[in-house]
């Protein structure tokens, strides 16, 4: 399909750029695929990772589809509840939960805290005692499984700050034994993000199985097993592959994880649900001839989408208004006063001129949610298609 057919012409005629364009139909289709993939497994429960995109319009659709929420701050818990997600489907992770945030979780009786350290467990116990409630807790274990992804978004290695180390596990159980106001429900893991090699998830399954066997041998009962998120998407060919291969992903767990009767298996997918439904739409301000390069300078910057600057991330870029048959090679850059404000280097586009519209694909995840106001820029607005 040509990129020209994807976007209605009124879209960029009527709206000031830059903006995020969300294709809500694609979001619904993606969620339908996901739900279809797990419909035969009522014990599989998906919590959408709010950090990927907390736009209320998207959250409402996700809530209406019945997904739960994976939150990493008090603000995300409130955003999830505001969108209509039941607190009974909310899990809360994060290495630095403040007292205020823990109280938000307790006051709303969320399903569970994914606890990342002994000091955190102690504070949750104290705060729950003060309120005379019992907090359900899962231990986030650092599984020491390597995910083959960018080093900034791998989380399950021994050197990362996340989770409780395997060697501390027995000690944590001993400490928890004497706590009056926490109730242990299970284990939480997360190995990283944008993972496309199912062998990484298989390795996680094997690690989870061996930790479970160790705990069963100690007489520990486990109801809840949360394997985190991380399923990647196709940034190279988003038009051809708008929906991730959920079957392949869930089949990996079906095949390799050993669940006992009554246990539930939880997933925290973010990117896979929302990345492809969002496109950053921007207009060319100038085309500038450099010494050895041509620059297309657009009105979107790293303040709107920081992934290329922060992780060298690749996003497919297209000129959606030029009909030129001739192509040129450009660096696509933003207006921010930072050399890293580059969306793509040596990108082939049809001959591009001032006023053309540039689409940056796969921007629905970690785009708007990571936006900033650096350079006193306003937060980009959003337009939705049904
Ligand atoms: N669960 C936990 C505990 C997480 O830390 C994350 C992501 C997720 C679930 C959701 O992962 P996903 O399914 O979206 O891969 N800003 C980076 C990604 C950071 C991911 C942080 N944690 C990026 O733009 O690539």
């Amino acid at each position: 399909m040509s990129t020209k057919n994807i976007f209605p012409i009124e879209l960029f005629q009527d709206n000031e750029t830059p903006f995020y364009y969300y294709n809500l139909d694609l979001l619904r289709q993606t969620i339908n695929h996901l739900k279809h993939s797990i419909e035969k497994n009522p014990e599989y429960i998906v919590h959408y990772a709010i950090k990927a995109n907390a736009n209320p319009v998207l959250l409402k659709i996700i809530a209406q589809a019945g997904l739960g929420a994976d939150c990493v701050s008090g603000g995300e818990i409130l955003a999830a509840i505001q969108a209509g997600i039941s607190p009974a489907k909310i899990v809360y992770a994060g290495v630095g939960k403040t007292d205020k945030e823990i109280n938000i979780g307790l006051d709303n009786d969320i399903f569970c805290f994914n606890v990342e350290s002994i000091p955190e467990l102690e504070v949750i116990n104290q705060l729950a005692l003060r309120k005379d409630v019992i907090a359900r807790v899962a231990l986030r274990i650092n599984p020491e499984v390597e995910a083959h992804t960018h080093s900034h978004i791998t989380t399950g290695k021994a050197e990362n700050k996340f989770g409780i180390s395997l060697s501390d596990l027995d000690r944590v159980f001993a400490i928890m034994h004497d706590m009056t106001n926490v109730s242990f429900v299970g284990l939480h893991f997360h190995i990283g993000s944008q993972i496309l090699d199912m062998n990484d998830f298989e390795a996680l399954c094997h690690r989870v199985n061996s930790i479970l066997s160790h705990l069963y041998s100690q007489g520990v009962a486990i109801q809840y097993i949360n394997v985190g998120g991380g399923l990647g998407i196709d940034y190279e060919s988003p038009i051809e592959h708008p929906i991730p291969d959920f079957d392949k992903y869930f089949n990996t767990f079906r095949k390799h994880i050993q669940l006992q009767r009554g246990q539930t298996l939880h997933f925290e997918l973010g990117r896979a649900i929302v990345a492809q439904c969002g496109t950053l739409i921007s207009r060319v301000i100038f085309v500038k001839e450099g010494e050895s390069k041509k620059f297309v300078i657009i009105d979107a910057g790293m303040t709107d989408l920081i992934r290329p600057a922060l992780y060298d991330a690749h996003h497919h870029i297209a000129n959606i208004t030029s009909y030129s048959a001739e192509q040129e090679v450009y660096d696509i850059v933003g207006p921010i006063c930072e050399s890293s404000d580059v969306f793509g280097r040596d990108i082939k586009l049809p001959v591009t001129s001032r006023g053309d519209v540039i689409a940056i694909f796969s921007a629905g995840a970690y785009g708007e949610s990571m936006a900033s106001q650096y350079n006193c820029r306003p937060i980009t607005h959003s337009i939705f298609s049904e």
Side-chain angles (χ1 to χ4, degrees):
M1 199 201 291
S2 148
T3 48
K4 309 249 170 6
N5 303 330
I6 298 179
F7 304 102
I9 203 148
E10 318 78 69
L11 184 67
F12 31 86
Q13 280 173 345
D14 301 347
N15 295 298
E16 193 185 333
T17 52
F19 59 87
Y20 273 100
Y21 172 65
Y22 291 111
N23 178 341
L24 301 182
D25 181 50
L26 178 57
L27 174 62
R28 290 194 186 94
Q29 281 183 46
T30 306
I31 297 172
N32 286 343
H33 271 75
L34 182 154
K35 286 174 75 175
H36 183 70
S37 281
I38 54 169
E39 68 191 356
K40 292 202 180 79
N41 292 93
E43 73 283 20
Y44 283 19
I45 295 166
V46 175
H47 305 262
Y48 165 65
I50 304 263
K51 62 178 87 62
N53 192 322
N55 186 300
V57 175
L58 273 60
L59 285 189
K60 205 158 180 196
I61 292 173
I62 290 166
Q64 279 164 356
L67 302 192
D70 156 38
C71 301
V72 288
S73 69
E76 286 192 355
I77 294 176
L78 295 175
I81 293 172
Q82 179 82 31
I85 296 177
S86 156
K89 292 185 189 167
I90 294 180
V91 294
Y92 176 23
V95 292
K97 301 177 181 80
T98 64
D99 291 14
K100 187 173 167 191
E101 292 178 308
I102 292 170
N103 281 328
I104 291 176
L106 292 173
D107 291 342
N108 287 288
D109 195 21
I110 59 166
F111 172 61
C112 123
F113 292 85
N114 292 326
V115 173
E116 310 227 8
S117 66
I118 296 172
E120 179 191 331
L121 192 59
E122 286 166 344
V123 171
I124 293 177
N125 186 48
Q126 282 161 17
L127 294 176
L129 176 65
R130 227 175 272 166
K131 289 182 184 290
D132 195 23
V133 294
I134 304 287
R136 281 172 296 275
V137 296
L139 299 179
R140 177 172 181 176
I141 312 278
N142 186 336
E144 295 178 29
V145 169
E146 173 130 21
H148 297 92
T149 185
H150 192 284
S151 64
H152 287 189
I153 52 176
T154 170
T155 42
K157 295 195 335 187
E159 73 233 39
N160 294 129
K161 69 179 174 183
F162 299 101
I164 292 167
S165 66
L166 280 172
S167 55
D168 268 349
L169 203 51
D170 291 342
R171 192 159 69 92
V172 178
F173 274 104
I175 294 172
M176 199 163 40
H177 187 74
D178 298 325
M179 291 184 172
T180 50
N181 289 68
V182 295
S183 152
F184 171 78
V185 292
L187 302 177
H188 173 229
F189 306 86
H190 174 74
I191 55 173
S193 199
Q194 183 51 19
I195 298 168
L196 291 166
D197 183 347
M198 294 302 121
N199 291 320
D200 293 338
F201 292 117
E202 183 184 333
L204 171 65
C205 291
H206 295 314
R207 182 53 59 92
V208 172
N209 291 338
S210 78
I211 296 170
L212 289 176
S213 322
H214 168 74
L215 293 176
Y216 299 151
S217 74
Q218 314 273 307
V220 178
I222 292 163
Q223 303 147 29
Y224 155 96
I225 300 156
N226 182 334
V227 289
L231 174 62
I233 58 126
D234 191 342
Y235 280 101
E236 302 291 328
S237 312
I239 300 162
E240 294 77 3
H241 301 130
I243 298 181
D245 194 341
F246 290 114
D247 284 344
K248 194 161 105 183
Y249 172 70
F250 288 113
N251 282 339
T252 307
F253 291 92
R254 274 189 199 103
K255 192 159 166 208
H256 299 288
I257 211 149
Q258 287 151 10
L259 287 190
Q260 291 190 338
R261 190 184 284 263
Q263 283 178 334
T264 48
L265 187 62
H266 298 246
F267 301 85
E268 300 175 334
L269 295 176
R271 185 187 322 261
I273 296 173
V274 292
Q276 301 292 31
C277 77
T279 309
L280 179 57
I281 303 283
S282 160
R283 206 172 277 279
V284 177
I285 311 175
F286 303 117
V287 177
K288 172 173 165 178
E289 300 260 356
E291 253 327 86
S292 57
K293 290 196 159 221
K294 276 194 174 157
F295 295 98
V296 167
I297 303 171
I298 60 178
D299 58 9
M302 63 192 284
T303 47
D304 307 301
L305 176 67
I306 201 174
R307 303 191 69 257
L310 199 55
Y311 317 115
D312 262 332
H314 170 83
H315 284 258
H316 179 67
I317 299 175
N319 181 329
I320 55 175
T321 49
S322 167
Y323 282 88
S324 170
E326 219 181 299
Q327 294 207 314
E328 288 233 51
V329 173
Y330 303 100
D331 278 11
I332 317 296
V333 303
I336 312 296
C337 299
E338 298 276 340
S339 312
S340 56
D341 187 26
V342 178
F343 288 108
R345 293 178 209 277
D346 300 323
I347 307 291
K348 229 187 228 174
L349 292 182
V351 172
T352 296
S353 326
R354 172 174 165 81
D356 283 353
V357 178
I358 300 290
I360 304 179
F361 287 77
S362 317
Y366 307 108
E368 192 182 338
S369 63
M370 294 179 79
S372 78
Q373 292 187 301
Y374 182 43
N375 286 187
C376 287
R377 285 167 61 87
I379 294 287
T380 309
H381 63 127
S382 334
I383 312 274
F384 305 92
S385 83
E386 271 314 312

